[in-house]
């Protein structure tokens, strides 16, 4: 089997793990084991793997609220992710952040963000760090089409271009920001043009074709490693509602049907053609994610005292629990 | 007729828009989607695209555009989906909307309403669960209203839309399904607190969703401790005589907020009560608020990070009778 084909199969595997993981997130919610319902599935957007495959150890990234898949592609442990999504103490962020705030410094994940656009400028600073350290690390900001309307993106793009930073802005355009289709939020829809206008290396790729994303991302990522900040739009479709409670009444079943034809997994499977291998990969992903979900559900919620930790760094006294303050004021010895 | 907080808010918008053509709405998902929490459902169909405007995800732009519209004769209701996004809009709000009338020598007012919602209760985590009213209360020139009942949801929003200056109108995500009646008249004039329950032993001042918890606690304490419950509702500017009268009668004051305690509305009210009621007080005014931490996502921790009826009741009894709750023994 050719090297190229091995790489294609590897990307298929990562995409399959993402999809199966996201399906388990949906089940976690249905079982009442998730912390809340603000869970945003990245099903349909798995071709982001075409970009993450160019990332290396030492690279950093930030994501938006729909970032589970990106983090999995960068090596996350699905059980710890599901534990975080379930608000368990064993989760990546000790059950404090949840689905929208997963991070892991060790894997270069500087944080998922629930403020649209909130994490974008951080890659500019990470780019300065990499440059000043003389490393060849790249920092990538992942965000949605909705963030194309946030002013801070334009500040960040300008700084990245001005200072020739090793930074990539990756817009996963799933056509919707909540119920607003992109033609109702953008006066001019050529997003790469908004990047080249700022002096960035701007590109677009079809998010239904992971290999196309891989090729487009090659130039953008290589450029960034050499100090030419870049922008890549991945043109995809959000298969499900915005969050778990959203049934997408603002779009037609016909449109959804058509959108779901643009399925990067089905396309990759057809192209690779090796059903036996791919079926085995599918089964492995199912087993892996089943086990991860079992572990997450069995995990304990965080202990009460941990609530006061991490507000400030160790060494600073934690905020005083209110009951202690009341005891000082009203207690016996008071 | 029984209705909900959500429907009362919608009714207020509909009535205001029927009465006054200059009222427009703008914000994310206010039109086609009907509002993230369903408040503006049906308004796009009813009033059309020129008056119900879906915007891109551009919060400073939304508030800034509302300011310009208000300066030039419209009466905009700008919606910011979560009060947490105040971080993005504080320049437009605090430096532009709030200061225009003053800086420009009284020439240019900004009669707009910023509708938003805050609070915990949905495991929405640290960036979608805050109670940031103190940020707005700190800015002269802004008015601040926070309805805690169905009737106030209607009447305070109507009143907000009659103010000549910018009003921050903060709803609570945990109240949208609250049931109640819309009274024929507001429970108190705009700018003044409302007495929600009469009592003789202790005054509890509160607002927004905590009002419901305080009322529960007060019912459970009666008749051994009779609590007077004051709903602050229009937090700034606040004509506080109703509150001070109450504290002078009861001699004790507890202020309950969901917001973190340090630097809170409760801190301001405690200071005023101390200044104005010192000679009548049996005890210093006491604050009971959210823990001084970001809101954690884990449901049990989230719930433990803010007061509830049990803690309010325990604290109130402790304050009045010196009977300590079990955890303080
Ligand atoms: C600053 C800000 N504004 C609004 C929201 C509410 N909100 C959450 S996700 C979302 C849509 C985002 O769309 P997009 O950026 O395309 O990401 P997608 O959800 O499609 O992945 C909105 C409006 C928010 N979280 N932050
Ligand atoms: Mg989108």
């Amino acid at each position: 089997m050719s090297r190229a084909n091995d790489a294609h199969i590897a990307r298929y595997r990562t995409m399959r793990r993402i999809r199966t993981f996201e399906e388990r997130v949906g089940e976690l919610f249905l079982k009442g084991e998730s912390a809340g319902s603000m869970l945003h599935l990245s099903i349909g957007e798995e071709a982001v793997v075409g970009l993450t495959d160019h990332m290396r150890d030492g690279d950093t990234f930030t994501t938006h609220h729909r970032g589970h898949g990106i983090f999995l592609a960068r090596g996350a442990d699905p059980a710890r992710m599901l534990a975080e999504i379930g608000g368990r103490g064993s989760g990546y962020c000790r059950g404090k952040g949840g689905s929208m705030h997963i991070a892991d410094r060790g894997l270069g994940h500087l944080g998922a963000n629930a403020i649209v656009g909130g994490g974008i400028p951080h890659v500019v600073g990470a780019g300065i760090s990499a440059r000043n350290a003389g490393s060849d690390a790249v920092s990538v900001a992942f965000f949605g089409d909705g963030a194309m309307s946030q002013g801070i993106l334009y500040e960040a793009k300008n700084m990245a271009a001005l200072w020739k930073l090793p930074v990539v802005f990756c817009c996963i355009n799933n056509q919707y920001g909540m119920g607003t289709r992109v033609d109702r939020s953008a006066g001019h829809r050529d997003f790469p043009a908004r990047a080249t206008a700022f002096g960035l290396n701007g590109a677009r790729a079809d998010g239904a074709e992971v290999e196309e994303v891989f090729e487009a991302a090659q130039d953008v990522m290589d450029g960034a490693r050499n100090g030419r900040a870049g922008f890549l739009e991945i043109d995809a479709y959000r298969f499900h509602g915005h969050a778990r409670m959203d049934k997408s009444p603002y779009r037609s079943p016909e449109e959804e049907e058509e959108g779901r034809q643009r399925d990067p997994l089905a396309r990759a499977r057809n192209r690779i053609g090796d059903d036996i291998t791919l079926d085995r990969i599918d089964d492995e992903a199912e087993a892996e994610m089943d086990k991860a979900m079992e572990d997450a559900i069995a995990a304990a919620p965080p202990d009460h005292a941990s609530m006061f930790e991490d507000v400030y760094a160790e060494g600073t006294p934690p905020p005083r629990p209110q009951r202690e303050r009341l005891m000082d004021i009203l207690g016996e010895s008071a | 007729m029984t209705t909900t907080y959500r429907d009362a808010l919608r009714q207020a918008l509909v009535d205001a828009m029927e009465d006054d053509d200059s009222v427009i709405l703008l914000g994310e998902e206010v039109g086609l989607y009907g509002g993230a929490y369903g408040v503006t459902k049906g308004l796009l169909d009813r009033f059309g695209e020129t008056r119900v405007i879906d915007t891109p995800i551009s919060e400073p732009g939304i508030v800034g555009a509302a300011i310009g519209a208000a300066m030039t004769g419209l009466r905009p209701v700008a919606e910011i989906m979560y009060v947490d996004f105040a971080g993005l809009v504080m320049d437009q709000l605090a430096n532009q909307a709030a200061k225009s009338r003053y800086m420009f020598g009284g020439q240019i007012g900004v009669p707009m309403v910023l509708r938003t919602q805050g609070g915990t209760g949905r495991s929405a985590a640290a960036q979608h669960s805050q109670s940031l009213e103190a940020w707005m209360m700190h800015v002269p020139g802004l008015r601040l209203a926070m309805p805690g009942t169905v009737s106030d949801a209607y009447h305070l929003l109507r009143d907000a839309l009659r103010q000549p200056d910018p009003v921050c109108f903060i709803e609570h995500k945990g109240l949208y399904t609250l049931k109640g009646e819309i009274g024929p008249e507001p429970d108190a004039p705009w700018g003044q607190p409302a007495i929600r329950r009469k009592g003789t032993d202790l005054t509890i001042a509160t607002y927004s969703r905590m009002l419901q918890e305080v009322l529960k606690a007060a019912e459970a304490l009666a008749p051994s401790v009779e609590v007077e419950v004051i709903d602050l509702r229009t937090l700034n500017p606040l004509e506080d005589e109703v509150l001070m009268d109450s504290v002078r009668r009861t001699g004790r004051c507890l202020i309950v907020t969901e917001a973190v305690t340090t630097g809170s509305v409760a801190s301001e009210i405690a200071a005023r009560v101390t200044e104005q009621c010192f000679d009548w007080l049996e005890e210093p005014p006491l604050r009971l608020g959210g823990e001084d931490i970001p809101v954690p996502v884990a449901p049990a921790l989230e719930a433990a990070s803010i007061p509830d009826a049990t803690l309010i009741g325990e604290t109130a009894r402790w304050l009045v009778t010196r009977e300590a709750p079990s955890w303080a023994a």
Side-chain angles (χ1 to χ4, degrees):
Chain A
M1 202 157 283
S2 74
R3 289 252 306 267
N5 209 43
D6 284 352
H8 292 192
I9 288 173
R11 280 192 274 282
Y12 176 89
R13 181 194 305 278
T14 309
M15 293 200 297
R16 170 56 67 194
R17 290 178 65 240
I18 293 172
R19 178 149 315 173
T20 308
F21 178 87
E22 295 287 44
E23 287 165 0
R24 294 300 178 274
V25 173
E27 286 170 37
L28 203 67
F29 167 69
L30 291 176
K31 286 177 192 286
E33 297 282 353
S34 65
S37 64
M38 290 176 100
L39 308 168
H40 308 85
L41 307 186
S42 61
I43 293 178
E45 305 174 12
E46 295 88 348
V48 73
V49 166
L51 189 151
T52 56
D53 260 18
H54 293 286
M55 293 176 73
R56 307 177 185 158
D57 287 356
D59 287 353
T60 55
F61 62 105
T62 63
T63 81
H64 56 338
H65 53 281
R66 203 179 298 283
H68 302 159
I70 297 159
F71 188 27
L72 263 183
R74 290 303 301 143
D77 168 0
R80 285 185 68 199
M81 283 184 75
L82 283 167
E84 187 59 38
I85 293 164
R88 305 301 209 273
S90 59
Y92 267 104
C93 305
R94 312 180 68 196
K96 287 179 173 152
S99 165
M100 299 195 291
H101 302 296
I102 295 185
D104 186 74
R105 185 67 193 85
L107 291 171
H109 192 351
L110 304 182
N113 217 298
I115 302 296
V116 169
I120 293 175
H122 306 165
V123 300
V124 172
I128 295 174
S129 288
R131 182 196 66 189
N132 290 6
S135 93
D136 70 349
V138 170
S139 193
V140 185
F142 296 93
F143 51 89
D145 45 285
M148 291 302 297
S149 299
Q150 284 286 327
I152 199 153
L153 169 64
Y154 300 87
E155 300 181 17
K157 281 197 297 193
N158 183 48
M159 288 190 275
L162 178 66
W163 298 325
K164 301 189 171 36
L165 294 175
V167 162
V168 168
F169 301 93
C170 178
C171 174
I172 304 174
N173 180 355
N174 60 12
Q175 315 305 324
Y176 282 86
M178 283 185 77
T180 302
R181 203 169 60 204
V182 70
D183 57 352
R184 297 180 63 244
S185 68
H188 180 60
R189 258 192 294 160
D190 187 344
F191 292 161
R194 294 194 198 176
T196 50
F198 277 72
L200 273 71
N201 180 15
R204 178 192 288 118
D206 180 357
E209 298 289 352
V210 68
E211 297 309 324
E212 196 183 298
V213 175
F214 184 79
E215 261 160 52
Q218 177 101 53
D219 182 54
V220 172
M221 289 293 288
D222 286 354
R225 269 191 222 288
N226 292 298
R228 179 160 191 223
F231 174 95
L232 178 67
E233 174 186 356
I234 300 176
D235 190 29
Y237 191 75
R238 194 190 74 203
F239 279 25
H240 298 288
H242 168 68
R244 286 300 68 207
M245 303 304 274
D246 177 26
K247 305 272 181 288
S248 312
Y250 41 80
R251 62 188 195 185
S252 69
E254 294 74 39
E255 184 206 293
E256 288 195 346
E257 181 59 34
E258 207 182 298
R260 288 179 188 152
Q261 296 301 311
R262 300 188 52 223
D263 181 347
L265 266 153
R267 302 268 187 109
R269 175 175 270 272
N270 281 343
R271 198 172 358 79
I272 296 167
D274 178 357
D275 280 340
I276 294 169
T277 305
L278 299 185
D279 285 350
R280 200 189 64 237
I281 287 173
D282 292 357
D283 291 345
E284 285 166 3
E286 296 281 332
E288 179 193 10
M289 298 308 166
D290 279 345
K291 173 80 172 66
M293 188 155 88
E294 257 174 54
D295 290 354
I297 289 175
D303 64 285
H304 187 269
S306 72
M307 179 161 81
F308 299 95
E309 296 163 7
D310 305 318
V311 180
Y312 302 102
E314 250 175 271
T316 304
R320 194 101 200 284
Q322 174 150 255
R323 282 179 171 77
E324 284 181 22
R325 183 173 58 86
L326 294 176
M327 282 162 75
D328 273 0
I329 299 170
L330 298 172
E332 280 298 294
S333 52
Chain B
M1 198 188 71
T2 302
T3 183
T4 61
Y5 187 87
R6 181 191 340 259
D7 291 348
L9 290 164
R10 185 183 312 113
Q11 195 59 49
L13 291 172
V14 167
D15 291 352
M17 292 178 85
E18 294 282 359
D19 285 0
D20 179 355
D21 279 349
S22 72
V23 177
I24 63 163
L25 312 185
L26 67 170
E28 294 154 19
E29 309 295 341
V30 298
L32 195 59
Y33 197 91
Y37 284 91
V39 172
T40 54
K41 196 157 263 153
L43 300 194
L44 174 63
D45 281 348
R46 187 154 177 174
F47 297 103
E49 289 189 330
T50 55
R51 294 186 66 194
V52 179
I53 305 172
D54 274 323
T55 68
I57 310 174
S58 306
E59 285 80 6
I62 295 166
V63 178
I67 291 170
M71 285 172 162
T72 50
L74 293 176
R75 200 170 256 288
V77 181
E79 181 177 323
I80 297 299
M81 204 181 281
Y82 287 76
V83 74
D84 310 69
F85 312 158
L88 287 160
V89 307
M90 279 315 272
D91 175 66
Q92 289 300 320
L93 209 54
N95 289 325
Q96 315 302 332
K99 292 182 174 53
S100 165
R101 181 182 296 286
Y102 189 84
M103 290 191 302
F104 304 141
Q107 295 176 76
I108 306 180
V110 182
M112 64 169 282
V113 173
L114 180 102
R115 267 193 61 235
T116 187
Q117 58 79 31
T120 61
R122 292 200 62 218
S123 283
Q127 297 175 338
H128 279 66
S129 305
Q130 297 172 87
S131 299
L132 297 178
E133 54 273 16
W135 293 14
M136 283 112 191
M137 191 166 178
H138 195 64
V139 182
L142 292 182
R143 291 175 176 274
L144 176 58
M146 296 183 71
T149 68
V150 171
S151 195
D152 261 0
Y154 179 84
H155 287 293
L156 283 183
L157 188 48
R158 291 304 306 270
D159 279 350
L161 278 160
R162 295 183 188 110
Q163 301 304 316
D165 295 307
V167 179
C168 297
F169 188 90
I170 310 178
E171 300 153 19
H172 195 294
K173 61 173 70 63
L175 287 179
Y176 286 121
T177 56
L178 179 73
K179 291 199 174 64
E181 311 256 327
I182 300 174
E185 296 293 328
D187 297 328
W190 173 268
Q192 294 181 22
I195 302 176
R196 298 295 181 198
R197 186 183 192 283
K198 285 295 218 175
T200 48
D201 299 323
L202 165 70
T203 299
I204 301 186
T206 188
Y207 54 91
S208 191
R209 193 181 73 87
M210 277 299 139
L211 172 63
Q212 301 301 328
E213 294 297 309
V214 168
L215 288 171
K216 257 187 259 170
E219 287 313 313
L221 286 168
S224 61
V225 176
E226 287 291 352
V227 175
E228 180 141 312
V229 179
I230 305 285
D231 178 0
L232 298 171
R233 57 207 278 292
T234 46
L235 292 162
N236 202 33
L238 179 68
E239 298 165 40
D240 52 24
E241 224 14 66
V242 169
L243 170 65
M244 300 309 162
D245 270 356
S246 171
V247 176
R248 287 177 195 133
R249 276 187 281 107
T250 63
R252 292 183 175 89
C253 182
L254 176 67
I255 308 114
V256 179
T257 70
E258 181 169 330
V260 298
T261 306
T262 296
S264 68
V265 169
S267 304
E268 170 66 21
I269 298 296
R272 291 194 202 181
V273 167
T274 310
E275 288 168 351
Q276 297 178 49
C277 304
F278 192 74
D279 289 341
W280 288 267
L281 286 170
E282 307 280 343
E283 303 274 348
L286 184 67
R287 296 169 302 159
L288 183 64
E291 301 286 359
D292 282 333
I293 61 172
V295 177
V297 82
L301 296 195
E302 180 191 30
S305 74
I306 59 158
D308 60 7
T310 307
L311 182 61
I312 295 164
E314 288 169 345
T315 308
R317 182 185 300 282
W318 203 1
L319 192 58
V320 175
T321 68
R322 289 279 146 187
E323 196 185 311
S326 56
W327 49 263

